[in-house]
Amino acid sequence: MAEKADVIVIGMGPGGEAAAAQLAQAGLSVVGIEKNLVGGECPYYGCIPTKMMVRAADTLAEARRVAFLAGTADVTADFGPVAERIRDEATDNWDDTVAVERFEKAGGRFVRGTARIAGPKTVSVDGREFEASRAIVVNTGTEPALPPIPGLAGAPFWTNRDAVAAKEAPESLIVLGGGPIGLELAQAFARFGTRVEVLEALDRLLPLEEPETSHLVEEVLTSEGIVVHTGTAAETVSHDGARFTVQAGGSLLTAERLLVATGRRSDLAALGLASIGVDTSARTLDTDPQLRIAEGVYAIGDITGHGAFTHMSMYQAGIAARHILGDTAAKAEYHAVPRVTFTDPEVGSVGLTEQQAREEGMTVATGISQIPDSARGWIHKAGNHGIIKLVADTDRGILVGATSAGPNGGEVLSMLTLAVHERTSLNRLREMIYAYPTFHRAIEDALRKLT
């Protein structure tokens, strides 16, 4: 006989946990199901531990800049403190007891196992059956995607999960993939003394960002000793028990470790979605503005295709939960989705790139300012690489996209996110008062350069 609940949440990553807790606190009976760790990728393998690595690596870089600004400093890198911090402060040594207890204290019921939708209101979990009277919420996230490179399968390569569990920085590292995950980890390890080479099959790093940003980041990484190969795909991989050899572009690259950061994937078919009439051949799930994929079934997070970000999952969780609780006005909007790559320079972006805006048929104007040319950038001096790029729809007189790359680029992005979200007029943005001397004042210069 099926066990009853008002709502069943499949996948207790950040969004699933948030939705489940909100619904339970509202008085509904909620079953939360997770086969791995409650909290998902972010606190154990993604944003939290990787940013601890980035923070530690950035302090090393900043200390090495003392000679340009304030005298001398001797810097000796030690990966031990950050490895210990990841275990003690971020992951509880990859133990989710605290997260499970947090959900149960909110009034939910936790079930550990692999869930599969067996019908419109039914979920099976390793032989047990649960029935939801009001809704099912799917938040199963993604897994690292492995490219079909001969020799890769079975080799002891790293994904982001292995990288954050490292207790010491490797002597050398090859990174497959020049996206945010690959570059953040590449720079962090390089600053701890690892010899790093990055392979990106497309023609530039951070291919989803503005080309100017890609060139800026590549220039900085190269200046720090990282060897970057763009337009170069790995052809074969081998491991001799001690080192990896990667054949790419007519060259042989060797390193102690190989990090695969070539994207992420989800297995929609394994969720049993076909039982409710959902096409599982697509890469992501199409939802309505209330996040429904079928009557009474909601999808949130990475599997919806609106960005593999914790903040997206949490945003969608709130909308789905409100709708389940009866708020029919709640709906998702995606015209101002912010994202940040935590390299140095930090790359914050929101909305459309110039190319995307043109592809949508807009009459586009762009403006670019250089952070080193701003007063704050000039004062900052060492480590001041960065740009502000604005993308405007001139017919409507609003920003539709923006990039803030540089020191604290993700923080400077906040006002640009608000401007894009609220469709603030360009005239109004030009009339604002921008504090002097700040990094965000470079936005004013980019507005003047809009053409």
Side-chain angles (χ1 to χ4, degrees), residues 370-393:
Q370 302 292 328
I371 296 298
D373 294 341
S374 69
R376 179 65 183 275
W378 176 74
I379 293 167
H380 196 78
K381 193 174 182 179
N384 66 354
H385 309 279
I387 63 169
I388 298 289
K389 180 173 181 178
L390 306 180
V391 180
D393 177 352

Side-chain angles (χ1 to χ4, degrees), residues 103-306:
F103 171 55
E104 292 176 336
K105 287 178 181 177
R109 177 184 175 193
F110 177 67
V111 175
R112 181 89 63 189
T114 301
R116 182 179 176 84
I117 295 176
K121 295 184 177 181
T122 307
V123 176
S124 64
V125 185
D126 302 331
R128 297 169 66 183
E129 196 168 88
F130 296 85
E131 185 176 299
S133 63
R134 295 182 67 161
I136 296 171
V137 180
V138 182
N139 175 231
T140 47
T142 53
E143 300 281 336
L146 303 182
I149 302 170
L152 182 62
F157 58 84
W158 276 359
T159 67
N160 62 297
R161 297 179 179 182
D162 306 287
V164 301
K167 292 187 176 180
E168 58 185 28
E171 170 267 329
S172 53
L173 175 70
I174 298 169
V175 179
L176 302 186
I181 295 173
L183 296 190
E184 288 177 7
L185 292 171
Q187 188 177 46
F189 279 118
R191 288 178 166 184
F192 274 97
T194 301
R195 178 177 60 81
V196 178
E197 293 193 64
V198 176
L199 286 173
E200 171 52 55
L202 298 180
D203 62 358
R204 58 187 176 91
L205 301 179
L206 298 177
L208 299 182
E209 301 296 341
E210 298 282 11
E212 295 88 349
T213 304
S214 300
H215 301 324
L216 171 69
V217 171
E218 181 174 349
E219 180 183 333
V220 173
L221 295 182
T222 301
S223 74
E224 294 186 7
I226 297 172
V227 179
V228 175
H229 307 271
T230 55
T232 308
E235 298 157 9
T236 64
V237 171
S238 62
H239 187 260
D240 64 7
R243 298 182 71 80
F244 284 91
T245 299
V246 176
Q247 181 176 341
S251 301
L252 291 178
L253 285 59
T254 64
E256 179 187 353
R257 295 289 183 183
L258 173 67
L259 171 64
V260 179
T262 51
R264 301 183 68 82
R265 61 177 291 275
S266 57
D267 187 354
L268 300 181
L271 290 170
L273 294 169
S275 67
I276 57 172
V278 174
D279 178 11
T280 59
S281 63
R283 294 186 60 185
T284 58
L285 296 174
D286 287 330
T287 72
D288 68 11
Q290 286 74 39
L291 286 311
R292 289 174 296 188
I293 57 173
E295 186 62 34
V297 182
Y298 298 74
I300 62 175
D302 298 6
I303 58 174
T304 65
H306 291 288

